[in-house]
């Protein structure tokens, strides 16, 4: 819900599998976007065969999904702590 509420997020999908392979097979997206750390790693990207092409986004310091998810989780936790005193 938090990711979906972000202005630049068109759709958010919760994955319950270890990989996005089934989702990619179902959606057949035009572009599979991966971070540049996947470029030349020597392994085939899971689900790439269901996409028309694979693109790689450059890595920017402190701008990766793990960092973003951590910031969102921290903000939610802080909000819960600050608001917990308001409950009866």
């Amino acid at each position: 819900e938090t990711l979906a509420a972000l202005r630049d997020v068109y759709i958010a999908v919760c994955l319950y599998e270890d990989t996005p392979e089934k989702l990619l097979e179902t959606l057949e997206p035009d572009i599979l976007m991966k971070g540049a750390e996947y470029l030349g790693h020597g392994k085939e990207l899971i689900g790439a065969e269901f996409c028309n092409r694979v693109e790689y986004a450059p890595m920017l310091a402190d701008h990766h999904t793990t960092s973003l998810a951590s910031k969102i989780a921290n903000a939610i936790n802080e909000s819960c702590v600050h608001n917990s005193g308001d409950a009866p």
Side-chain angles (χ1 to χ4, degrees):
E1 291 176 21
T2 302
L3 272 178
L6 296 175
R7 181 182 58 185
D8 293 332
V9 175
Y10 179 72
I11 188 171
V13 177
C14 295
L15 295 176
Y16 299 100
E17 292 87 23
D18 291 335
T19 71
E21 186 172 21
K22 290 180 185 177
L23 177 66
L24 293 172
E25 182 178 13
T26 300
L27 295 178
E28 296 181 338
D30 186 41
I31 301 170
L32 173 59
M33 197 72 184
K34 299 300 284 185
E37 75 272 15
Y38 287 92
L39 188 59
H41 73 325
K43 296 180 184 176
E44 186 176 330
L45 293 173
I46 294 173
E49 66 270 21
F50 305 115
C51 308
N52 289 331
R53 71 179 200 261
V54 177
E55 295 288 335
Y56 297 91
M59 297 299 296
L60 303 173
D62 297 325
H63 289 83
H64 46 81
T65 54
T66 304
S67 175
L68 176 61
S70 178
K71 289 177 184 177
I72 291 170
N74 287 338
I76 291 170
N77 288 336
E78 286 180 20
S79 176
C80 290
V81 169
H82 292 314
N83 293 327
S84 65
D86 298 338

